[in-house]
């Protein structure tokens, strides 16, 4: 595919990186010409990943009454598009209505509210 210098000046040539979730490198070759002579060289592209917010599909657990259920990270169905990111925090936005939510903080179980 060929295009003119004016096409480049007019912003008619672009590159869109694929979604990888981490920093990547890419390259392509170009040949420039003045009509009589030409020169071919590679063009390197450094792709920096965007920090995309993590997601959760929610979750469901089953427990018997009067029995503590200790949550695991997998109960929150966490995923993050960005390679290498891990769940670092869970925030409670609404307290349960039929039980007590607690967190183990400073060596003791403490009630958690929204």
């Amino acid at each position: 595919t060929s295009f003119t210098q004016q096409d480049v000046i007019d912003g008619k040539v672009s590159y869109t990186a694929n979604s990888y979730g981490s920093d990547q490198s890419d390259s392509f070759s170009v040949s420039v010409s003045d009509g009589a002579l030409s020169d071919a060289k590679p063009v390197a592209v450094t792709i920096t990943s965007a920090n995309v917010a993590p997601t959760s599909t929610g979750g469901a657990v089953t427990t018997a009454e009067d029995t503590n259920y200790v949550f695991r990270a997998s109960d929150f169905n966490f995923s993050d598009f960005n390679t290498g990111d891990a769940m670092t925090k869970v925030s409670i936005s609404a307290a349960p209505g039929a039980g007590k939510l607690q967190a183990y903080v400073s060596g003791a179980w403490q009630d958690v509210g929204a």
Side-chain angles (χ1 to χ4, degrees):
T1 302
S2 296
F3 43 85
T4 67
Q5 179 181 4
Q6 192 61 49
D7 290 335
V8 176
I9 292 168
D10 292 343
K12 294 180 179 177
V13 180
S14 71
Y15 173 92
T16 302
N18 293 330
S19 297
Y20 292 107
S22 63
D23 293 350
Q24 299 287 319
S25 297
D26 199 0
S27 66
F28 57 92
S29 297
V30 298
S31 179
V32 295
S33 173
D34 63 5
L37 300 171
S38 63
D39 186 31
K41 295 287 190 249
V43 174
V45 179
T46 300
I47 305 160
T48 55
S49 65
N51 191 9
V52 178
T55 60
S56 173
T57 58
V61 299
T62 301
T63 187
E65 65 181 357
D66 300 323
T67 303
N68 282 350
Y69 179 88
V70 178
F71 287 95
R72 298 177 305 260
S74 60
D75 292 328
F76 297 97
N77 295 313
F78 167 87
S79 66
D80 196 317
F81 174 79
N82 298 101
T83 303
D85 284 0
M87 180 170 62
T88 59
K89 181 174 152 183
V90 173
S91 297
I92 306 305
S93 55
K100 178 169 55 171
L101 187 61
Q102 295 184 311
Y104 195 74
V105 179
S106 301
W109 287 101
Q110 299 179 16
D111 291 349
V112 174

